[in-house]
Amino acid sequence: MNELRIENRSRREFLIAGAGLTLALCMPSAGAAAAGAGKLPGTFEPNAFVHIGTDNLVTVIVKHLEMGQGTYTGLPTLVAEELDAAWAQIRVEGAPADARRYNNLLMGTMQGTGGSTALANSFEQLRRAGATARAMLVAAAAQRWSVAVDGISVGQGVVRHAASGRKAGFGDLALAAAALPVPEQVSLKSPKDFVYIGKRVPRKDSKAKINGTAQFTQDVNLPGMLTALVAHPPRFGATLKSFDAARCKSVKGVVDAFAIPSGVAVLARDFWSAKKGRDALVIEWDESRAFRLGTREIVRQYQALLDQPGAVARNDGDAQGGLRTATKQVTADFSFPYLAHAAMEPLNCVIRLGADSCEIWNGEQFQTVDQGNIAAVLGLKPEQVKLNMLFAGGSFGRRACTHSDYLVEAAHIAKASAGRTPVKLVWTREDDMRAGYYRPLYLHRLTAGLDAQDKVTAWTHRIVGQSIIAGSPFEAFMVKDGVDHSSVEGAASLPYAIPGISVDLHSPKLDVPVLWWRSVGSTHTAFATEVFLDELAHAAGKDPLQMRRGLLAGHPRHLGVLELAAAKAGWDKPLAAGAAGEKRGRGIAVHESFHSFVAQVAEVTVRADGSFHVDRVVCAVDCGIAVNPDVIRAQMEGGIGFGLTAALYGEITFNEGRVEQSNYTDYPLLHIREMPRIEVHIVDSQAQPTGVGEPGVPVIAPAVANALFAATGRRLHKLPLRLT
Amino acid sequence: MLTLNVNGTRHQVDVDPDTPLLWVLRDTLRLTGTKYACGVAACGACTVHVNGAPMRSCTTPVSAVAGQRITTIEGLQSKVAKVVQAAWEKLDVVQCGYCQSGQIMSAVALLTSNARPSDKDIDDALDGNLCRCATYQRIRAAIHEAARNLG
Ligand code: FES
Ligand code: FES
């Protein structure tokens, strides 16, 4: 990680930031670092996170998107901790798009939210920002009171000098602090002194989200703004041949209709008029180069690839040799459908053009990528595109598209209408579900060999599915030797001690747009590896927990969550029987993703008709230092519910190139009655904090499938899980 | 011209009578707390109260509710509503928050007619309110908490 420097920007930013102390964290920019020694410190780029006003409010600028994961609570906690602020005086503001000031320290020069990195990359950065501000407030107090800094303490937003009984609020000291030099060194608290970290602090976004005032993109209203809907082609790769907008334009409220690269845009005074106008369009599409495969054909093509060796992702020992000499072989093919993100807030974007500028209102995960793509459409420089960061009503990876698809569409509409009015582009639920960017369809084949003592000696794992990364700016560092890391993560990193392991990959190219989906590769690799390991335990005649224990000796954190979940679930005690005609079962799974470790035990009841219910889930998580245990619990609960939707229902299918689903009616989400009772246990850890937004998701489907096996003796290899 | 009674205020609106109530609330009256997510009565994000009963505004033609008593999240005033919102805040139910106006409208309607709902009553009353973030466990807990506090 780059060295951090801090400078005081208060005087320079005084006018724009308002009265008070603004602290900037400075890091050598990539360019300066590359140029090496000889560069003056003055070339360093500043990067502001904390502002303390004379009104006693502390504003924390959050560089990450709040999409439900709690980052508007977690990141300010870090500042509040080292600043010794009162939680009530903390305000949160979303950062503008700015790669130099607000880059994700784990993503190089790009500003982005993803891979469960928000807290991990900010942990030291924001604590340092808080500690520096605190040191300056203390120095200002020492000066004003003519006392030594040692005698001064800070707690709950009050600076005190015990000996003289003097005290002051942050607001009182802000201006004096702003005039002081920034300390070279600050020390961070030792974990035993933490006041907030490790405890529950209430979410900063709760109130606005329960009284209807929280601003989502869908809620933005600018003077003169029009609503745009776009008619997209019915198949990927089809283009516009011609259209007749006469009837559309006669709909009351419709202002204009015109072609853009992604279809035909209709502009109207409100959503309903735009929708009626769009329905009245007569469009002819050129489908000569359109995608026309059905799910069945795709699966058939992929099945042929399962028989051929792919690009090697891992090759330990001699897996093939191990298979040949094995006394027992187990093999299974797994299949995973395309999945839509289906966030509750459909995609949308508000855009306003000015002379040589563009302003965007949106909740988005890849702020600076989007900024660049929008600028390219409009012939602007990236810094001429200003982003106003709003809450996103879910995203799960969808608002992290490297092609910025819906934002670019909004830019084209603004450009085609010559920027006459601000425009709110709205996708209907049907548009959102059909316009692509799915979790890819994958097939897996696993084969393992056991020796005469039922020890697993060989494990081969082949994966077939589209690459998410190919063709994106991440390709250069995430695709190596033909292996897209995101396709094999969780499989190539198999933790089990098996002498021969081989993992290989085919990444066929297909015209279906694909994208990361909450927990990415682990959405399929965790299921394949954890269900298959259960099969091996069964083949070896071992208890599934026992089997894992025996193979995880070198992985204490996997073992830690596994043992904790098993103990809390009462794995050693028999499961209570179900009612007459019902079968019950319990399953376990463990998986590492995004450097966090999660184990889950699921209990299911299978009814006589083959339908089933997940009754209880016991989840153990090790994510390093638990900054906010309640947010961690919430993310595990939500992750399990999200993963259960995929386990029970999630499936996007194609028929002659057309997406067959359109809305929650045929792409159902988990309902409240299907939500299991969830208990979350957090491993006490002093390791660096890691993410929690994604790691709860991948473990539930294999835990449930293993429980269904325990209940019925039937092994399911296909998602969604169906017993009937 | 239709007359709408929303949150205790009368509005004259000049819209087509078949326009869904949702879009009149959001685009005409600028009450954006009521959300659009599916448009086909499949998710509950657009739930409002009409004469106290929960209704999906996305499939309710505005002409069908002219003159009726419409309440949106912005107009919640009752004791039950305040207690429900306090429970939601205490338990930090929300994640992305997009579904939560609808969840709260359904919860308030439930507790207004049933002071001590069982888990099954909750599952039945909130069956149509989807949450992609799956905050369901806390929704259930918050409804029980509110019921306790309502005594
Ligand atoms: S938007 Fe009305 S039920 Fe979904
Ligand atoms: S809180 Fe995100 S959809 Fe319910």
Side-chain angles (χ1 to χ4, degrees), chain A residues 12-27:
Chain A
R12 262 190 290 151
E13 294 205 334
F14 189 80
L15 288 173
I16 41 171
L21 168 63
T22 303
L23 270 192
L25 279 178
C26 305
M27 312 186 13

Side-chain angles (χ1 to χ4, degrees), chain B residues 22 35-46 56-59:
Chain B
L22 172 66
K35 300 301 185 206
Y36 162 71
C38 76
V40 296
C43 78
C46 65
R56 309 290 182 235
S57 64
C58 68
T59 49

Side-chain angles (χ1 to χ4, degrees), chain A residues 423-443:
Chain A
V423 170
K424 182 198 289 182
L425 167 67
V426 177
W427 283 18
T428 63
R429 170 60 48 199
E430 292 80 4
D431 299 334
D432 188 282
M433 201 158 281
R434 290 188 161 155
Y437 290 103
Y438 305 119
R439 195 289 304 273
L441 182 154
Y442 289 98
L443 297 189

Side-chain angles (χ1 to χ4, degrees), chain A residues 12-251:
Chain A
R12 262 190 290 151
E13 294 205 334
F14 189 80
L15 288 173
I16 41 171
L21 168 63
T22 303
L23 270 192
L25 279 178
C26 305
M27 312 186 13
S29 68
K39 274 272 183 187
L40 293 173
T43 58
F44 292 172
E45 303 282 354
N47 161 349
F49 292 99
V50 185
H51 174 253
I52 300 175
T54 48
D55 55 5
N56 217 26
L57 292 180
V58 177
T59 303
V60 178
I61 313 294
V62 173
K63 64 185 180 179
H64 292 286
L65 170 65
E66 175 60 71
M67 48 189 166
Q69 82 280 40
T71 204
Y72 274 26
T73 305
L75 300 196
T77 300
L78 304 174
V79 172
E81 180 65 67
E82 297 289 346
L83 182 58
D84 282 311
W87 187 241
Q89 76 186 134
I90 301 274
R91 294 283 174 280
V92 186
E93 228 173 73
D98 186 335
R100 284 172 307 175
R101 299 161 80 196
Y102 297 119
N103 64 319
N104 182 325
L105 301 181
L106 300 175
M107 292 184 179
T109 53
M110 154 186 174
Q111 182 181 359
T113 306
S116 296
T117 56
L119 196 108
N121 96 92
S122 303
F123 189 61
E124 176 154 341
Q125 187 177 43
L126 289 188
R127 285 168 66 211
R128 216 165 266 286
T132 305
R134 181 189 190 279
M136 293 170 74
L137 291 166
V138 167
Q143 219 169 53
R144 182 179 297 171
W145 300 332
S146 304
V147 300
V149 291
D150 309 0
I152 294 178
S153 65
V154 188
Q156 291 297 313
V158 181
V159 182
R160 279 196 176 80
H161 184 250
S164 65
R166 271 179 285 215
K167 61 177 186 177
F170 291 175
D172 288 344
L173 296 166
L175 286 180
L180 296 175
V182 177
E184 286 280 312
Q185 298 276 327
V186 286
S187 50
L188 300 179
K189 282 185 185 174
S190 134
K192 69 174 173 18
D193 299 325
F194 286 159
V195 176
Y196 295 119
I197 294 176
K199 315 238 161 47
R200 172 183 186 262
V201 296
R203 287 184 72 115
K204 281 290 173 194
D205 55 349
S206 260
K207 210 183 234 10
K209 288 178 176 178
I210 60 183
N211 64 18
T213 58
Q215 283 285 299
F216 297 88
T217 304
Q218 198 79 18
D219 305 328
V220 173
N221 176 43
L222 302 174
M225 186 182 80
L226 297 176
T227 298
L229 260 67
V230 177
H232 294 134
R235 292 182 168 92
F236 299 120
T239 51
L240 183 65
K241 194 186 268 174
S242 65
F243 72 103
D244 176 357
R247 273 203 318 126
C248 163
K249 286 187 183 169
S250 70
V251 170

Side-chain angles (χ1 to χ4, degrees), chain A residues 67-68 200 202-203 206-207 209-210 212 216 218-219 221 270-272 276 340-342 344-346 392-394 396 428-429 630 634-635 637-638 641-642 645 663 670-673 675-678, chain B residues 14 16 18-20 23 26-27 30 32-33 35-38 40 42-43 73 85 88-90 92 94-101 104 122-124 126-127 130 132-134 136-140:
Chain A
M67 48 189 166
R200 172 183 186 262
R203 287 184 72 115
S206 260
K207 210 183 234 10
K209 288 178 176 178
I210 60 183
F216 297 88
Q218 198 79 18
D219 305 328
N221 176 43
D270 54 76
F271 174 91
W272 196 246
K276 279 183 165 173
H341 299 78
M344 291 297 282
E345 182 183 21
F396 316 113
T428 63
R429 170 60 48 199
D630 197 54
Q635 285 308 298
E637 293 161 12
F642 193 87
T645 284
N663 206 314
L670 194 78
H671 283 234
I672 190 167
R673 66 174 73 251
M675 186 73 174
R677 192 154 45 86
I678 297 172
Chain B
D14 178 17
D16 279 352
D18 67 343
T19 308
W23 297 108
R26 290 186 55 85
D27 287 351
R30 306 269 181 236
T32 54
K35 300 301 185 206
Y36 162 71
C38 76
V40 296
C43 78
I73 187 84
Q85 284 171 315
W88 241 252
E89 196 173 346
K90 179 174 167 206
D92 269 343
V94 307
Q95 290 191 24
C96 85
Y98 198 76
C99 73
Q100 298 292 346
S101 297
I104 287 170
I122 295 173
D123 287 354
D124 290 346
L126 275 83
D127 186 54
L130 301 181
R132 184 55 162 150
C133 303
Y136 299 126
Q137 173 150 309
R138 290 179 189 223
I139 289 174
R140 239 185 241 149

